[in-house]
Amino acid sequence: MKMKKIAIMCMTVLLAGCNATDLEQQVNELYEKMSQEERIAQLRSGYMNEFFDKQGVLDTAKCRKEIPNGIGHFSQYASQEPIDPNVLRDHVAAMQDWLIHNTPNGIPALFHEEVLSGVNTSGATIYPQQIGQACSFNPELAELKTLQTGTTLRKMGGVLSLSPMVDVCRNPSFNRLEESYGEDGYLSAVMGTAFVRGLQQGDLRKGVGACSKHYLGYGGGGDADEKEMMEEILLPHETMIRLTGSKVVMPGYHAVHGTNCVANGEILNDILRDYVGFDGMVVSDYTAIDQLPDQPDEVHKAAAAINGGNDVDFPRGVDYAHLQEALDQGLVKPEVFERAVKDVLRHKFRSGLFDKDAYLYSKEQITLDTPEERQTAYDIATHGEFGLYLLCPVAAA
């Protein structure tokens, strides 16, 4: 029996190695087929609703003009305007179909949305914020919440979320405290991994990819000493990556050791990639690259970010539109640019976007705010209130 278990473990490791090799071969082959314009397009994003007219019809002429080489991502696609989820899904279907059949290599886009308190779209269930859920000390409910959320978002064409936020917040005046799980690194790690398990469903081909944010030390801890930084502030991010396969990280707007996170090679390359072993995709917070200080123009901002380890420019890719200039001027090494593009392609392969029967959206009728989702939201709220009472009965009363 013992030898049988060892044999099974060895076979599992061998198959995992084969799968990783196959994945890299697929990524490399696609990368070699792509033009430079297509590669840069994969590092940029946009807003889907801008490509549809008032009647909800895709403007193919605008697509040919503005995204002839495709596009890597669509930003917060579900929250730009109030819209029926089935109509929204149909818009995603039309856009994906156009990209697949009208761009050089037919690469689908990653549609992303916020899901901290449920799908950020009109009519969806609003679950308690993460600080409230932390008070429940109930990771099972946290996992159930994001299982429901991820299932709904994937039906609507969403492949990636910009959640969860696992900042260890120790500053009570931080203006985004409610999005966090609070001040304890261990609790944030437990709840964060539960969030990812439910959202990704153990398979990016059917679940929704999680994004660990805001890396590293946003909301308190960016100036922490090495012991606190590595053992507490990093803990939730590292746990989500190592234990649940979280494959996307978003740097914060702040600086660590004097360098803004989105261009900080110490935290993105030395710690994240080299120490943690992260092999996923790094995406900027919205306009974070454009906010880089002490850079004379967009060319230098783009170079600083991609050299520092950031792959994708959200929400529009305004600065990464100048990447070719940065390459031509020798500000960005070709291997750095190649890493960024391949990180995006790798995530798309992992998400099954190139599969023969790719799950790009659901064809069934989509219903939001179901009784089951409402019950979960109620359970989280009541468990959270009870936890708050235990912690601070005077405040809860």
Side-chain angles (χ1 to χ4, degrees):
M1 181 63 70
K2 184 176 180 181
M3 291 301 296
K4 183 178 180 180
K5 288 183 178 179
I6 293 174
I8 292 173
M9 289 173 63
C10 291
M11 184 60 69
T12 301
V13 172
L14 181 62
L15 290 174
C18 291
N19 290 337
T21 302
D22 292 343
L23 173 62
E24 291 310 305
Q25 183 178 345
Q26 291 174 314
V27 170
N28 291 336
E29 288 177 354
L30 178 55
Y31 182 85
E32 292 303 321
K33 291 179 183 178
M34 298 166 67
S35 67
Q36 191 73 345
E37 291 79 10
E38 286 181 274
R39 294 167 180 168
I40 292 174
Q42 290 301 305
L43 306 182
R44 302 184 62 198
S45 191
Y47 288 101
M48 180 185 69
N49 63 314
E50 296 177 356
F51 290 91
F52 287 82
D53 62 23
K54 294 181 179 179
Q55 286 71 46
V57 178
L58 181 65
D59 187 341
T60 56
K62 188 172 184 179
C63 290
R64 287 192 298 272
K65 179 181 178 181
E66 297 191 9
I67 52 173
N69 295 295
I71 190 168
H73 316 258
F74 281 105
S75 299
Q76 289 192 298
Y77 82 104
S79 58
Q80 293 306 300
E81 55 188 22
I83 189 171
D84 181 89
N86 296 282
V87 175
L88 180 65
R89 180 269 320 279
D90 292 344
H91 286 186
V92 171
M95 179 57 78
Q96 294 284 41
D97 183 76
W98 190 88
L99 289 170
I100 291 169
H101 295 101
N102 296 278
T103 59
N105 279 288
I107 302 174
L110 286 168
F111 285 78
H112 71 244
E113 190 49 79
E114 297 277 4
V115 298
L116 283 172
S117 54
V119 180
N120 190 20
T121 196
S122 177
T125 301
I126 301 175
Y127 298 86
Q129 269 285 12
Q130 292 194 172
I131 195 66
Q133 187 150 42
C135 291
S136 74
F137 298 93
N138 191 324
E140 288 80 11
L141 274 178
E143 183 174 345
L144 176 59
K145 183 200 88 169
T146 53
L147 174 63
Q148 293 172 343
T149 299
T151 300
T152 299
L153 185 63
R154 192 75 192 232
K155 287 180 180 179
M156 297 162 55
V159 182
L160 174 65
S161 75
L162 300 188
S163 310
M165 173 179 165
V166 289
D167 301 316
V168 179
C169 293
R170 292 171 175 172
N171 179 358
S173 64
F174 179 54
N175 63 351
R176 297 177 68 175
L177 177 65
E178 78 282 355
E179 297 180 26
S180 78
Y181 292 117
E183 66 180 358
D184 186 77
Y186 179 78
L187 178 60
S188 297
V190 170
M191 300 302 278
T193 53
F195 189 112
V196 177
R197 279 197 303 269
L199 192 68
Q200 297 190 163
Q201 301 182 37
D203 184 355
L204 289 175
R205 283 174 157 78
K206 65 178 182 179
V208 170
C211 174
S212 172
K213 69 179 187 183
H214 304 87
Y215 183 87
L216 182 64
Y218 194 50
D223 57 351
D225 61 32
E226 183 178 5
K227 179 177 174 60
E228 182 183 0
M229 178 72 82
M230 297 299 290
E231 295 183 2
E232 298 179 48
I233 307 301
L234 178 64
L235 178 61
H237 300 279
E238 183 175 2
T239 306
M240 288 164 55
I241 293 165
R242 291 188 186 274
L243 298 187
T244 57
S246 184
K247 294 295 184 182
V248 184
V249 166
M250 176 184 285
Y253 289 111
H254 63 299
V256 170
H257 299 157
T259 302
N260 283 39
C261 292
V262 76
N264 193 317
E266 177 191 1
I267 67 168
L268 296 180
N269 292 323
D270 299 344
I271 297 178
L272 182 64
R273 290 188 169 97
D274 295 343
Y275 169 70
V276 177
F278 181 73
D279 66 346
M281 179 174 65
V282 178
V283 301
S284 79
D285 210 336
Y286 283 21
T287 74
I289 298 174
D290 205 49
Q291 295 178 40
L292 283 173
D294 306 321
Q295 299 293 338
D297 53 35
E298 291 90 346
V299 176
H300 286 80
K301 289 176 181 178
I306 201 167
N307 287 336
N310 184 80
D311 296 323
V312 180
D313 183 4
F314 282 161
R316 293 183 180 276
V318 171
D319 295 287
Y320 274 18
H322 300 273
L323 273 176
Q324 190 58 54
E325 297 172 66
L327 286 160
D328 293 342
Q329 294 178 31
L331 299 173
V332 175
K333 293 181 180 179
E335 56 266 30
V336 172
F337 174 75
E338 181 176 338
R339 177 219 70 218
V341 178
K342 287 185 175 180
D343 283 349
V344 174
L345 297 179
R346 189 178 299 107
H347 192 82
K348 291 188 174 186
F349 274 107
R350 284 170 167 161
S351 300
L353 300 193
F354 298 105
D355 290 356
K356 183 178 179 180
D357 299 315
Y359 183 21
L360 300 178
Y361 48 83
S362 173
K363 297 179 181 179
E364 65 186 65
Q365 181 73 15
I366 300 170
T367 302
L368 300 179
D369 200 22
T370 64
E372 294 79 11
E373 291 169 327
R374 285 197 167 204
Q375 183 63 50
T376 301
Y378 175 81
D379 291 342
I380 293 170
T382 52
H383 281 233
E385 183 179 13
F386 180 68
L388 178 62
Y389 181 83
L390 293 177
L391 287 171
C392 187
V394 175

